[in-house]
Amino acid sequence: MWLLPLLSPITRFAAGVYYRLYLSGEPVPREGPLLLVANHPNSLLDPALVAAAAHRPIRFLAKAPLLRHPLVGWIVRGAGSIPVYRRSDDPGLMARNEEMFREAHAALATGSALALFPEGLSHNEPALAPLKTGAARIALGAATLLGRAFPIVPAGLSFREKDIFRSEAAVVVGRALDWADLAHRGAADADAVRELTGRIDAALRDVTINLEQWEDAPLVLVAEAVHAVEQGIAPNAAGHVERLRDTAQMLAQLRHAGDPRWEPLATDVATHGRRLAQLRLQPADLHERTDLGTATRWALRRVPFVGLPAILIAVAGTIVFCVPYALTDLIAGRGDLGRDARSTHKFLIGALVNILWIVLVAAVAGSVAGPLAGLAALVSLPPLGFAALAIRERWHGARGDARRFLLLRSRRELVAALRLQQRDLASRLEEIRLTLRESGDR
């Protein structure tokens, strides 16, 4: 388990390179036994995000074939992962899961942290899959050894475009479950296992966005953004996921109830979203200030990123790393992978290709200009690549900001009309939210 103490900081760094990563919610207990449970939409990157949010050494339950995988097996073993033997992998090894339960119980009883994905498989469905009972059985078995309950903490993983490099990813940690009333009943009590599995399911649904179908995603995103902006709700990752969840539930409730407000509202929200998308605007952009003072302050803040040093760094980094970037896209694009596995495939290939490329460039520099030049290249190329990426992202954001500023100033009548429509939509959404809440309270 040589990797276990380093797992959380390493994965926080790695996940933060691949995604724009947001960690929020409740603090994870730093000491004592802990069972972290999470949804599983993104294959091997899910454990990386959970470990990043844990801020402590944490062991995972992993399907047994991963421990023998030629590319990642050494990482999985080094992190102290406990093998799970699934029927879909080898029915003949299912009996060995008794070993898994004993090891998991012992780890928790000695104060370790464990993490697992109760859905039992990575998938690309728009909502949680039915949970397996393994998490509840592990918790109840460990509670028997400890003589008490311990924290079971849900973590919700949400992605904007999970297979796209530098897209947004969020980990929202929820409140620990209340299950002290079940802790004494043991893993052999089927009713206790069923009840605890239900509570884990409910806790995970509180920190995840569950859609009825992927086609609802644009509607939910626009409706939440409109409502949040017009209600003056401050942005944060945990609140954003919670509002998306509530919006998805509200719209689904309207649809299934046959509420006459459903179709007009869905049509108007979708139309508003399309109009904004055509202009490459977000709901919040309609309230941006466009006076010259704001523009001047915006420009001054970006001066360091348009100076000669920044330009040289960005150009040099882009030239040096254009080959591994193109190779990663070429290699990762081959094969028919599901979206839940594509980002893992791209991440692992990209990491390997870039490391090999850095070593190759350093070796060439060393052979041409001497060992010190090779060592300098080996040390300086990684920060050069990260710096170039950061500067290019600032440039991209600055171009978008400038285009948006000019559009908002030049098409003020259109923007005013869109702002009125947006306020009307937000008012309707808030009215529906309040009436549904009141009917639920009765």
Side-chain angles (χ1 to χ4, degrees):
M1 293 193 287
W2 60 271
L3 183 57
L4 187 58
L6 303 173
L7 187 62
S8 185
I10 288 175
T11 55
R12 196 155 50 249
F13 170 77
V17 170
Y18 191 83
Y19 291 116
R20 291 184 175 92
L21 180 62
Y22 302 93
L23 306 176
S24 61
E26 302 293 324
V28 174
R30 298 297 180 90
E31 296 180 349
L34 166 71
L35 186 62
L36 256 176
V37 292
N39 58 318
H40 203 4
N42 205 18
S43 193
L44 293 183
L45 288 185
D46 291 341
L49 268 62
V50 171
H55 292 281
R56 64 177 285 185
I58 188 161
R59 299 174 67 185
F60 284 84
L61 270 67
K63 59 182 182 181
L66 278 181
L67 279 76
R68 303 187 299 272
H69 193 282
L71 188 59
V72 299
W74 63 278
I75 299 175
V76 178
R77 294 190 301 273
S81 299
I82 300 173
V84 177
Y85 300 91
R86 305 186 309 175
R87 186 178 303 278
S88 58
D89 297 323
D90 188 343
L93 295 177
M94 290 284 290
R96 296 190 63 181
N97 278 327
E98 291 302 320
E99 301 172 24
M100 176 271 292
F101 280 111
R102 283 195 295 271
E103 188 172 356
H105 294 158
L108 289 167
T110 55
S112 295
L114 291 185
L116 57 84
F117 302 95
E119 293 169 287
L121 76 168
S122 175
H123 64 88
N124 194 44
E125 297 304 314
L128 280 174
L131 303 192
K132 310 294 185 183
T133 60
R137 293 167 65 193
I138 287 171
L140 289 165
T144 300
L145 295 178
L146 284 163
R148 60 178 176 83
F150 54 90
I152 301 176
V153 175
L157 312 182
S158 303
F159 302 87
R160 178 75 70 168
E161 295 176 284
K162 60 187 175 184
D163 53 343
I164 302 298
F165 179 60
R166 300 303 294 160
S167 59
E168 295 177 358
V171 185
V172 178
V173 178
R175 295 186 181 88
L177 274 70
D178 181 6
W179 65 290
D181 58 314
L182 303 174
H184 67 282
R185 293 172 60 174
D189 188 324
D191 290 336
V193 169
R194 189 179 307 109
E195 173 64 24
L196 184 52
T197 300
R199 294 185 193 183
I200 293 172
D201 181 270
L204 279 174
R205 290 183 185 278
D206 279 344
V207 292
T208 54
I209 306 160
N210 293 281
L211 303 171
E212 293 190 318
Q213 54 193 15
W214 280 122
E215 290 76 11
D216 290 343
L219 183 68
V220 170
L221 286 168
V222 173
E224 184 279 329
V226 164
H227 183 262
V229 167
E230 298 300 329
Q231 292 293 316
I233 299 172
N236 67 80
H240 179 61
V241 170
E242 181 180 350
R243 292 192 304 273
L244 285 172
R245 179 203 68 203
D246 291 346
T247 301
Q249 292 175 352
M250 180 186 75
L251 295 177
Q253 193 171 345
L254 285 181
R255 174 192 283 155
H256 289 298
D259 193 303
R261 295 172 293 182
W262 159 248
E263 287 193 8
L265 178 65
T267 299
D268 291 346
V269 169
T271 300
H272 187 70
R274 283 195 299 270
R275 288 173 177 166
L276 292 179
Q278 288 167 357
L279 297 168
R280 288 188 287 175
L281 295 175
Q282 298 294 327
D285 296 336
L286 299 180
H287 292 280
E288 288 289 328
R289 294 181 61 182
T290 58
D291 58 281
L292 293 179
T294 299
T296 302
R297 288 190 295 273
W298 171 87
L300 290 174
R301 285 197 300 270
R302 284 153 180 81
V303 166
F305 295 95
V306 295
L308 183 60
I311 293 172
L312 292 175
I313 290 171
V315 171
T318 301
I319 292 173
V320 169
F321 286 95
C322 65
V323 172
Y325 190 86
L327 280 175
T328 298
D329 272 354
L330 179 65
I331 298 170
R334 297 188 175 186
D336 186 19
L337 296 171
R339 285 194 68 195
D340 62 305
R342 199 176 302 152
S343 53
T344 297
H345 194 64
K346 188 183 295 186
F347 174 82
L348 293 174
I349 290 172
L352 179 61
V353 168
N354 277 276
I355 290 170
L356 292 176
W357 179 254
I358 290 170
V359 171
L360 175 62
V361 172
V364 171
S367 65
V368 172
L372 285 179
L375 180 61
L378 192 65
V379 171
S380 62
L381 284 178
L384 173 65
F386 291 131
L389 176 63
I391 292 170
R392 290 201 310 271
E393 287 188 346
R394 288 292 187 117
W395 287 353
H396 180 76
R399 285 197 303 271
D401 289 345
R403 186 203 61 79
R404 183 169 60 249
F405 178 84
L406 292 173
L407 186 147
L408 292 174
R409 277 187 67 89
S410 63
R411 306 190 67 178
R412 293 183 178 180
E413 290 185 5
L414 173 62
V415 171
L418 288 171
R419 193 182 296 129
L420 286 174
Q421 293 170 7
Q422 185 161 287
R423 287 173 180 163
D424 175 66
L425 284 174
S427 176
R428 290 159 64 187
L429 286 164
E430 180 65 12
E431 180 186 354
I432 292 169
R433 189 184 300 273
L434 291 174
T435 56
L436 290 178
R437 184 180 300 166
E438 288 172 2
S439 64
D441 291 340
R442 291 194 190 105

